[in-house]
Amino acid sequence: MRLSLRARLTLWAALATVLAALLVSGGIYLTMRQLLYLSEKEQLLSSVLIVQSRVEREVDRAGGAESLRWVWLDLSQIASENVQTQNLDLRLVSQVGEQWFYNQTVHFPQGLQLDLPVNLYQLRGQDKMIAVRELRTSGPPLMLTVMTDTGSLGQANKAFRRAFWTLLPLALVLALVLGWTVSGRLLAPVRQLEVAAREVGESGDLRRPLPLTEQGDELGLLARALQGTFGQLAQAREREQDFARAAAHDLRSPLAALTARVQGSLSRPRSAERYRQDLQEIGTDLERLSDLTTHLLLLSRDPSSVSRQPVALPPLAADAVDRARELDELADVDLQVAPSGRVLWTEGDPVLLGQAVWNLVVNAMRYGAGAPVLVQLERVGEEAHISVQDEGPGVSPEVLAQLGQPFYRPDASRQGQAAGGGHGLGLALAQRAAEVHGGRLELTSVEGAGFTARLVLPVHPAPATGHD
């Protein structure tokens, strides 16, 4: 079973608390132990100096180390002469030939080796510290061993462990409680955002305001990102709805006309010539339906499904102009290729790009009021510009701002459609083709002074097997 985010945050907080407690307590323990050890060491060394001077004096009085009278010295009495040294245990050791002689206090531990070199020792497993010094006396070497009880170290260790194992569970419980409470407070805005997002999904109102968008923290960034995403989805849905309504409207008109012509032709007997005329009109309606369907399919293509191959732009533009001229042999359409555009390549779908250029030329022929149309191809930096310019009446700024939207046609365009106009998809298709190829469509016009549509595409190097 996967834990909730709140439970995971609580456990991580508890784990962090335990680790912090271990680190802090470990540091305190080591520091305290080191300080106590240094304190005991300094105290022992100070006591050794006091005892050593007294023992040396008593040994000298007894005749020196060679007399062996020191063996009967009362070391306990010597240690008890000073408050600082009264709790010490002492031992004197000397080696004469192969024989060892020693004298020690009652409580000095038995079994401690006699030949310890001069140094300071901490007995393992015992709260004892010993110091070995050589006395400055005549005769053979006489070693003084001073032992002190370091029970304070052991007591401090026990007290620390007892406090640690008592406080650690309390700290863990406190961390769990605080972690659960704090994580709940931190996640409350997330739950609030979750509820708001669910309500947006259930209501379908993608433009509904979300909470927390005014905050400047990460939750505010998340809320604003969701608000922006919902807004984009709302725009996409509205465009799809408008697109579907407009497509249904534009498909219904030619279908209704086609149905009326067929029903009219079948309603009564007609002459062969009249049937031929009806069939020609039906063929015209079918061509309009075919063009409209082709445009809709091209406009709805997924960018990832667009083929990518090297495309030579001069022949593509020339072919589009030739196909446009076939619609009206009297149309004044001219193609002009600048020196920079004679060897110009891009990468993309030749069918989609050719249809886009053809639509721009046909749009200029249809709405340019019979004025000359000039198609120019040139290179500007790392971009290829295919400009289609007419000297017609142009459009107003209000109309220009809406051109390129699917199925948008100003009144003049709709009047033109009655005489064989389009469906309001030509510029939308060109703009879509430019976008999926990493380019753009630029529209400029001055009312009464012509109209220019410029298809801008990125330039790609010519293939190795390209034209000479």
Side-chain angles (χ1 to χ4, degrees):
M1 181 181 67
R2 188 174 180 83
L3 297 176
S4 65
L5 181 58
R6 184 179 185 182
R8 281 179 282 167
L9 287 175
T10 302
L11 291 178
W12 277 112
L15 178 61
T17 301
V18 171
L19 291 177
L22 290 175
L23 290 175
V24 172
S25 59
I28 294 175
Y29 172 76
L30 293 176
T31 302
M32 179 194 69
R33 182 179 177 82
Q34 184 67 16
L35 290 175
L36 289 175
Y37 174 79
L38 292 176
S39 176
E40 294 285 352
K41 177 181 177 181
E42 291 176 359
Q43 186 175 358
L44 175 60
L45 293 177
S46 175
S47 301
V48 167
L49 293 176
I50 298 174
V51 171
Q52 182 176 353
S53 63
R54 292 177 183 168
V55 172
E56 288 174 347
R57 185 171 60 250
E58 295 297 328
V59 170
D60 289 338
R61 288 178 181 176
E66 68 276 3
S67 69
L68 295 181
R69 293 178 181 177
W70 55 267
V71 176
W72 289 277
L73 290 177
D74 189 353
L75 296 180
S76 299
Q77 179 64 29
I78 295 174
S80 63
E81 291 178 357
N82 188 288
V83 177
Q84 183 176 345
T85 61
Q86 62 183 359
N87 294 323
L88 299 179
D89 289 311
L90 308 179
R91 183 180 72 175
L92 288 174
V93 178
S94 179
Q95 184 179 17
V96 179
E98 298 296 329
Q99 188 73 26
W100 286 92
F101 299 91
Y102 68 92
N103 179 13
Q104 63 184 27
T105 58
V106 176
H107 299 292
F108 197 93
Q110 301 292 330
L112 186 64
Q113 67 183 82
L114 300 174
D115 58 347
L116 285 175
V118 175
N119 207 338
L120 190 69
Y121 301 93
Q122 178 75 41
L123 297 184
R124 292 184 178 180
Q126 302 182 42
D127 295 330
K128 305 291 184 180
M129 183 182 296
I130 61 176
V132 180
R133 294 291 183 268
E134 183 177 353
L135 298 181
R136 294 185 293 272
T137 60
S138 60
L142 187 59
M143 309 299 293
L144 173 64
T145 303
V146 181
M147 183 178 66
T148 185
D149 186 6
T150 57
S152 59
L153 284 174
Q155 293 174 1
N157 291 338
K158 293 179 181 178
F160 181 84
R161 287 194 294 268
R162 185 167 56 251
F164 177 77
W165 291 114
T166 301
L167 294 177
L168 182 62
L170 295 178
L172 181 58
V173 171
L174 182 62
L176 290 172
V177 173
L178 289 178
W180 184 262
T181 304
V182 173
S183 61
R185 290 179 177 272
L186 291 176
L187 293 175
V190 177
R191 289 194 295 271
Q192 183 182 1
L193 195 59
E194 174 197 355
V195 172
R198 186 184 299 112
E199 291 176 351
V200 167
E202 294 174 352
S203 64
D205 183 10
L206 297 177
R207 298 191 182 279
R208 181 175 180 174
L210 293 178
L212 309 177
T213 54
E214 300 300 326
Q215 294 186 190
D217 56 7
E218 290 79 359
L219 291 175
L221 293 175
L222 176 61
R224 288 191 290 273
L226 287 176
Q227 188 80 75
T229 301
F230 288 160
Q232 293 175 359
L233 290 175
Q235 293 177 0
R237 186 177 65 179
E238 291 168 358
R239 287 196 300 268
E240 290 178 359
Q241 291 175 348
D242 294 341
F243 184 88
R245 284 194 294 267
H249 176 272
D250 281 65
L251 285 172
R252 184 170 60 248
S253 297
L255 285 174
L258 182 60
T259 302
R261 295 185 195 282
V262 172
Q263 291 177 349
S265 299
L266 297 176
S267 62
R268 60 182 181 276
R270 297 172 180 265
S271 63
E273 182 63 25
R274 185 57 184 272
Y275 276 126
R276 186 177 296 107
Q277 292 178 359
D278 289 345
L279 289 175
Q280 288 177 349
E281 293 176 353
I282 291 173
T284 301
D285 290 337
L286 290 175
E287 288 179 1
R288 290 184 60 201
L289 280 174
S290 177
D291 291 342
L292 179 59
T293 304
T294 300
H295 287 176
L296 289 173
L297 291 175
L298 291 175
L299 195 62
S300 62
R301 292 183 67 176
D302 186 357
S304 61
S305 67
V306 175
S307 64
R308 301 289 178 179
Q309 64 185 65
V311 178
L313 293 179
L316 182 140
D319 180 69
V321 170
D322 291 339
R323 289 191 294 121
R325 285 172 178 166
E326 293 176 359
L327 298 178
D328 187 356
E329 297 179 355
L330 301 179
D332 185 2
V333 182
D334 189 23
L335 173 63
Q336 186 179 82
V337 180
S340 61
R342 291 176 182 172
V343 184
L344 200 55
W345 291 75
T346 191
E347 187 177 67
D349 188 333
V351 175
L352 186 56
L353 290 175
Q355 187 69 24
V357 177
W358 181 84
N359 282 347
L360 294 180
V361 177
V362 171
N363 185 77
M365 293 169 53
R366 181 171 294 150
Y367 304 121
V373 177
L374 176 62
V375 181
Q376 293 179 305
L377 175 61
E378 60 181 340
R379 176 171 182 164
V380 180
E382 295 301 317
E383 296 178 335
H385 288 196
I386 304 177
S387 302
V388 180
Q389 180 179 2
D390 66 69
E391 300 178 3
V395 296
S396 64
E398 294 78 11
V399 173
L400 182 66
Q402 301 183 68
L403 290 178
Q405 299 179 10
F407 299 103
Y408 173 75
R409 290 168 296 183
D411 293 340
S413 300
R414 292 188 181 276
Q415 293 172 2
Q417 182 185 352
H423 304 279
L425 290 175
L427 294 179
L429 175 62
Q431 181 169 298
R432 178 66 172 165
E435 291 174 352
V436 299
H437 287 86
R440 62 187 183 276
L441 178 65
E442 299 176 350
L443 304 177
T444 57
S445 178
V446 177
E447 192 169 8
F451 183 88
T452 300
R454 181 176 295 106
L455 184 64
V456 180
L457 300 171
V459 172
H460 285 261
T465 58
H467 298 327
D468 296 336

PDB file of all heavy atoms in Angstrom, residues 243 246-248 250-251 289-301 406-407 425 429:
ATOM      1  N   PHE A 243     -14.905  25.957 -35.170  1.00  0.00           N
ATOM      2  CA  PHE A 243     -14.494  25.271 -36.397  1.00  0.00           C
ATOM      3  C   PHE A 243     -15.554  24.267 -36.830  1.00  0.00           C
ATOM      4  O   PHE A 243     -15.922  24.194 -38.010  1.00  0.00           O
ATOM      5  CB  PHE A 243     -13.162  24.564 -36.131  1.00  0.00           C
ATOM      6  CG  PHE A 243     -12.567  23.904 -37.339  1.00  0.00           C
ATOM      7  CD1 PHE A 243     -11.737  24.602 -38.195  1.00  0.00           C
ATOM      8  CD2 PHE A 243     -12.831  22.569 -37.611  1.00  0.00           C
ATOM      9  CE1 PHE A 243     -11.183  23.993 -39.294  1.00  0.00           C
ATOM     10  CE2 PHE A 243     -12.277  21.962 -38.719  1.00  0.00           C
ATOM     11  CZ  PHE A 243     -11.444  22.668 -39.561  1.00  0.00           C
ATOM     12  N   ALA A 246     -18.674  26.155 -38.075  1.00  0.00           N
ATOM     13  CA  ALA A 246     -18.452  26.747 -39.397  1.00  0.00           C
ATOM     14  C   ALA A 246     -18.339  25.676 -40.469  1.00  0.00           C
ATOM     15  O   ALA A 246     -18.855  25.827 -41.583  1.00  0.00           O
ATOM     16  CB  ALA A 246     -17.186  27.612 -39.364  1.00  0.00           C
ATOM     17  N   ALA A 247     -17.644  24.565 -40.122  1.00  0.00           N
ATOM     18  CA  ALA A 247     -17.521  23.480 -41.099  1.00  0.00           C
ATOM     19  C   ALA A 247     -18.887  22.891 -41.416  1.00  0.00           C
ATOM     20  O   ALA A 247     -19.208  22.609 -42.581  1.00  0.00           O
ATOM     21  CB  ALA A 247     -16.590  22.398 -40.549  1.00  0.00           C
ATOM     22  N   ALA A 248     -19.721  22.691 -40.380  1.00  0.00           N
ATOM     23  CA  ALA A 248     -21.062  22.164 -40.626  1.00  0.00           C
ATOM     24  C   ALA A 248     -21.880  23.114 -41.504  1.00  0.00           C
ATOM     25  O   ALA A 248     -22.604  22.681 -42.413  1.00  0.00           O
ATOM     26  CB  ALA A 248     -21.777  21.931 -39.293  1.00  0.00           C
ATOM     27  N   ASP A 250     -20.673  25.365 -43.707  1.00  0.00           N
ATOM     28  CA  ASP A 250     -20.164  25.408 -45.075  1.00  0.00           C
ATOM     29  C   ASP A 250     -20.367  24.091 -45.809  1.00  0.00           C
ATOM     30  O   ASP A 250     -20.462  24.080 -47.044  1.00  0.00           O
ATOM     31  CB  ASP A 250     -18.682  25.772 -45.065  1.00  0.00           C
ATOM     32  CG  ASP A 250     -18.484  27.269 -44.885  1.00  0.00           C
ATOM     33  OD1 ASP A 250     -18.846  27.784 -43.816  1.00  0.00           O
ATOM     34  OD2 ASP A 250     -17.991  27.905 -45.834  1.00  0.00           O
ATOM     35  N   LEU A 251     -20.437  23.004 -45.095  1.00  0.00           N
ATOM     36  CA  LEU A 251     -20.734  21.735 -45.756  1.00  0.00           C
ATOM     37  C   LEU A 251     -22.226  21.603 -46.048  1.00  0.00           C
ATOM     38  O   LEU A 251     -22.629  20.991 -47.047  1.00  0.00           O
ATOM     39  CB  LEU A 251     -20.278  20.573 -44.861  1.00  0.00           C
ATOM     40  CG  LEU A 251     -18.766  20.321 -44.794  1.00  0.00           C
ATOM     41  CD1 LEU A 251     -18.462  19.292 -43.730  1.00  0.00           C
ATOM     42  CD2 LEU A 251     -18.232  19.860 -46.146  1.00  0.00           C
ATOM     43  N   LEU A 289     -17.245  20.744 -52.691  1.00  0.00           N
ATOM     44  CA  LEU A 289     -17.166  19.855 -51.540  1.00  0.00           C
ATOM     45  C   LEU A 289     -15.780  19.210 -51.426  1.00  0.00           C
ATOM     46  O   LEU A 289     -15.218  19.077 -50.342  1.00  0.00           O
ATOM     47  CB  LEU A 289     -18.237  18.762 -51.648  1.00  0.00           C
ATOM     48  CG  LEU A 289     -19.660  19.148 -51.244  1.00  0.00           C
ATOM     49  CD1 LEU A 289     -20.616  18.003 -51.557  1.00  0.00           C
ATOM     50  CD2 LEU A 289     -19.706  19.477 -49.752  1.00  0.00           C
ATOM     51  N   SER A 290     -15.236  18.804 -52.556  1.00  0.00           N
ATOM     52  CA  SER A 290     -13.912  18.185 -52.543  1.00  0.00           C
ATOM     53  C   SER A 290     -12.851  19.171 -52.075  1.00  0.00           C
ATOM     54  O   SER A 290     -11.982  18.829 -51.259  1.00  0.00           O
ATOM     55  CB  SER A 290     -13.572  17.671 -53.940  1.00  0.00           C
ATOM     56  OG  SER A 290     -12.268  17.139 -53.974  1.00  0.00           O
ATOM     57  N   ASP A 291     -12.912  20.415 -52.588  1.00  0.00           N
ATOM     58  CA  ASP A 291     -11.945  21.427 -52.154  1.00  0.00           C
ATOM     59  C   ASP A 291     -12.074  21.703 -50.662  1.00  0.00           C
ATOM     60  O   ASP A 291     -11.068  21.809 -49.943  1.00  0.00           O
ATOM     61  CB  ASP A 291     -12.158  22.723 -52.951  1.00  0.00           C
ATOM     62  CG  ASP A 291     -11.769  22.575 -54.412  1.00  0.00           C
ATOM     63  OD1 ASP A 291     -11.032  21.618 -54.725  1.00  0.00           O
ATOM     64  OD2 ASP A 291     -12.209  23.411 -55.212  1.00  0.00           O
ATOM     65  N   LEU A 292     -13.330  21.842 -50.218  1.00  0.00           N
ATOM     66  CA  LEU A 292     -13.545  22.125 -48.810  1.00  0.00           C
ATOM     67  C   LEU A 292     -13.031  20.987 -47.938  1.00  0.00           C
ATOM     68  O   LEU A 292     -12.369  21.205 -46.910  1.00  0.00           O
ATOM     69  CB  LEU A 292     -15.033  22.367 -48.550  1.00  0.00           C
ATOM     70  CG  LEU A 292     -15.426  22.647 -47.088  1.00  0.00           C
ATOM     71  CD1 LEU A 292     -14.712  23.871 -46.555  1.00  0.00           C
ATOM     72  CD2 LEU A 292     -16.944  22.820 -46.983  1.00  0.00           C
ATOM     73  N   THR A 293     -13.286  19.756 -48.324  1.00  0.00           N
ATOM     74  CA  THR A 293     -12.817  18.592 -47.555  1.00  0.00           C
ATOM     75  C   THR A 293     -11.291  18.533 -47.529  1.00  0.00           C
ATOM     76  O   THR A 293     -10.682  18.254 -46.489  1.00  0.00           O
ATOM     77  CB  THR A 293     -13.381  17.302 -48.158  1.00  0.00           C
ATOM     78  OG1 THR A 293     -14.810  17.379 -48.201  1.00  0.00           O
ATOM     79  CG2 THR A 293     -12.955  16.098 -47.339  1.00  0.00           C
ATOM     80  N   THR A 294     -10.682  18.805 -48.697  1.00  0.00           N
ATOM     81  CA  THR A 294      -9.215  18.795 -48.758  1.00  0.00           C
ATOM     82  C   THR A 294      -8.629  19.840 -47.822  1.00  0.00           C
ATOM     83  O   THR A 294      -7.664  19.574 -47.090  1.00  0.00           O
ATOM     84  CB  THR A 294      -8.745  19.054 -50.196  1.00  0.00           C
ATOM     85  OG1 THR A 294      -9.264  18.025 -51.051  1.00  0.00           O
ATOM     86  CG2 THR A 294      -7.226  19.050 -50.279  1.00  0.00           C
ATOM     87  N   HIS A 295      -9.218  21.023 -47.838  1.00  0.00           N
ATOM     88  CA  HIS A 295      -8.726  22.080 -46.971  1.00  0.00           C
ATOM     89  C   HIS A 295      -8.895  21.710 -45.502  1.00  0.00           C
ATOM     90  O   HIS A 295      -7.995  21.959 -44.670  1.00  0.00           O
ATOM     91  CB  HIS A 295      -9.463  23.384 -47.269  1.00  0.00           C
ATOM     92  CG  HIS A 295      -9.053  24.002 -48.560  1.00  0.00           C
ATOM     93  ND1 HIS A 295      -9.643  25.139 -49.055  1.00  0.00           N
ATOM     94  CD2 HIS A 295      -8.129  23.631 -49.483  1.00  0.00           C
ATOM     95  CE1 HIS A 295      -9.090  25.461 -50.215  1.00  0.00           C
ATOM     96  NE2 HIS A 295      -8.177  24.552 -50.486  1.00  0.00           N
ATOM     97  N   LEU A 296     -10.040  21.141 -45.160  1.00  0.00           N
ATOM     98  CA  LEU A 296     -10.264  20.755 -43.765  1.00  0.00           C
ATOM     99  C   LEU A 296      -9.262  19.694 -43.313  1.00  0.00           C
ATOM    100  O   LEU A 296      -8.737  19.747 -42.194  1.00  0.00           O
ATOM    101  CB  LEU A 296     -11.688  20.232 -43.587  1.00  0.00           C
ATOM    102  CG  LEU A 296     -12.814  21.276 -43.687  1.00  0.00           C
ATOM    103  CD1 LEU A 296     -14.176  20.594 -43.661  1.00  0.00           C
ATOM    104  CD2 LEU A 296     -12.702  22.271 -42.548  1.00  0.00           C
ATOM    105  N   LEU A 297      -8.991  18.724 -44.184  1.00  0.00           N
ATOM    106  CA  LEU A 297      -8.037  17.681 -43.821  1.00  0.00           C
ATOM    107  C   LEU A 297      -6.631  18.246 -43.659  1.00  0.00           C
ATOM    108  O   LEU A 297      -5.907  17.897 -42.719  1.00  0.00           O
ATOM    109  CB  LEU A 297      -8.046  16.579 -44.884  1.00  0.00           C
ATOM    110  CG  LEU A 297      -9.320  15.721 -44.950  1.00  0.00           C
ATOM    111  CD1 LEU A 297      -9.251  14.750 -46.122  1.00  0.00           C
ATOM    112  CD2 LEU A 297      -9.521  14.963 -43.643  1.00  0.00           C
ATOM    113  N   LEU A 298      -6.232  19.116 -44.557  1.00  0.00           N
ATOM    114  CA  LEU A 298      -4.900  19.715 -44.447  1.00  0.00           C
ATOM    115  C   LEU A 298      -4.794  20.597 -43.205  1.00  0.00           C
ATOM    116  O   LEU A 298      -3.759  20.633 -42.536  1.00  0.00           O
ATOM    117  CB  LEU A 298      -4.589  20.532 -45.704  1.00  0.00           C
ATOM    118  CG  LEU A 298      -4.375  19.738 -46.998  1.00  0.00           C
ATOM    119  CD1 LEU A 298      -4.205  20.689 -48.175  1.00  0.00           C
ATOM    120  CD2 LEU A 298      -3.162  18.830 -46.884  1.00  0.00           C
ATOM    121  N   LEU A 299      -5.862  21.293 -42.900  1.00  0.00           N
ATOM    122  CA  LEU A 299      -5.836  22.211 -41.762  1.00  0.00           C
ATOM    123  C   LEU A 299      -5.773  21.467 -40.433  1.00  0.00           C
ATOM    124  O   LEU A 299      -5.235  21.977 -39.456  1.00  0.00           O
ATOM    125  CB  LEU A 299      -7.080  23.099 -41.809  1.00  0.00           C
ATOM    126  CG  LEU A 299      -7.083  24.350 -40.923  1.00  0.00           C
ATOM    127  CD1 LEU A 299      -5.977  25.286 -41.340  1.00  0.00           C
ATOM    128  CD2 LEU A 299      -8.426  25.047 -41.006  1.00  0.00           C
ATOM    129  N   SER A 300      -6.322  20.262 -40.393  1.00  0.00           N
ATOM    130  CA  SER A 300      -6.395  19.516 -39.137  1.00  0.00           C
ATOM    131  C   SER A 300      -5.234  18.547 -38.947  1.00  0.00           C
ATOM    132  O   SER A 300      -5.221  17.788 -37.988  1.00  0.00           O
ATOM    133  CB  SER A 300      -7.710  18.724 -39.088  1.00  0.00           C
ATOM    134  OG  SER A 300      -7.762  17.780 -40.144  1.00  0.00           O
ATOM    135  N   ARG A 301      -4.264  18.576 -39.826  1.00  0.00           N
ATOM    136  CA  ARG A 301      -3.157  17.621 -39.717  1.00  0.00           C
ATOM    137  C   ARG A 301      -2.328  17.879 -38.472  1.00  0.00           C
ATOM    138  O   ARG A 301      -2.055  19.020 -38.111  1.00  0.00           O
ATOM    139  CB  ARG A 301      -2.265  17.682 -40.960  1.00  0.00           C
ATOM    140  CG  ARG A 301      -2.936  17.167 -42.215  1.00  0.00           C
ATOM    141  CD  ARG A 301      -2.010  17.172 -43.396  1.00  0.00           C
ATOM    142  NE  ARG A 301      -0.915  16.223 -43.259  1.00  0.00           N
ATOM    143  CZ  ARG A 301      -0.022  15.993 -44.218  1.00  0.00           C
ATOM    144  NH1 ARG A 301      -0.097  16.647 -45.369  1.00  0.00           N
ATOM    145  NH2 ARG A 301       0.941  15.129 -44.026  1.00  0.00           N
ATOM    146  N   PRO A 406      -9.952  30.285 -39.268  1.00  0.00           N
ATOM    147  CA  PRO A 406     -10.728  29.379 -40.113  1.00  0.00           C
ATOM    148  C   PRO A 406     -12.166  29.870 -40.302  1.00  0.00           C
ATOM    149  O   PRO A 406     -12.819  30.286 -39.342  1.00  0.00           O
ATOM    150  CB  PRO A 406     -10.685  28.048 -39.349  1.00  0.00           C
ATOM    151  CG  PRO A 406      -9.452  28.137 -38.512  1.00  0.00           C
ATOM    152  CD  PRO A 406      -9.330  29.590 -38.143  1.00  0.00           C
ATOM    153  N   PHE A 407     -12.626  29.858 -41.538  1.00  0.00           N
ATOM    154  CA  PHE A 407     -13.995  30.181 -41.941  1.00  0.00           C
ATOM    155  C   PHE A 407     -14.348  31.658 -41.768  1.00  0.00           C
ATOM    156  O   PHE A 407     -15.514  32.021 -41.904  1.00  0.00           O
ATOM    157  CB  PHE A 407     -15.030  29.328 -41.168  1.00  0.00           C
ATOM    158  CG  PHE A 407     -14.876  27.857 -41.412  1.00  0.00           C
ATOM    159  CD1 PHE A 407     -14.286  27.047 -40.463  1.00  0.00           C
ATOM    160  CD2 PHE A 407     -15.297  27.291 -42.596  1.00  0.00           C
ATOM    161  CE1 PHE A 407     -14.135  25.703 -40.677  1.00  0.00           C
ATOM    162  CE2 PHE A 407     -15.146  25.935 -42.817  1.00  0.00           C
ATOM    163  CZ  PHE A 407     -14.570  25.146 -41.863  1.00  0.00           C
ATOM    164  N   LEU A 425     -10.958  29.382 -45.814  1.00  0.00           N
ATOM    165  CA  LEU A 425      -9.932  28.490 -45.266  1.00  0.00           C
ATOM    166  C   LEU A 425      -8.559  28.694 -45.884  1.00  0.00           C
ATOM    167  O   LEU A 425      -7.580  28.107 -45.420  1.00  0.00           O
ATOM    168  CB  LEU A 425     -10.344  27.023 -45.457  1.00  0.00           C
ATOM    169  CG  LEU A 425     -11.512  26.525 -44.605  1.00  0.00           C
ATOM    170  CD1 LEU A 425     -11.873  25.108 -45.000  1.00  0.00           C
ATOM    171  CD2 LEU A 425     -11.160  26.595 -43.142  1.00  0.00           C
ATOM    172  N   LEU A 429      -5.263  27.888 -43.845  1.00  0.00           N
ATOM    173  CA  LEU A 429      -4.419  26.770 -44.235  1.00  0.00           C
ATOM    174  C   LEU A 429      -2.969  27.219 -44.409  1.00  0.00           C
ATOM    175  O   LEU A 429      -2.034  26.542 -43.961  1.00  0.00           O
ATOM    176  CB  LEU A 429      -4.943  26.139 -45.522  1.00  0.00           C
ATOM    177  CG  LEU A 429      -4.076  25.025 -46.108  1.00  0.00           C
ATOM    178  CD1 LEU A 429      -3.971  23.865 -45.128  1.00  0.00           C
ATOM    179  CD2 LEU A 429      -4.617  24.554 -47.449  1.00  0.00           C
TER     180      LEU A 429
END
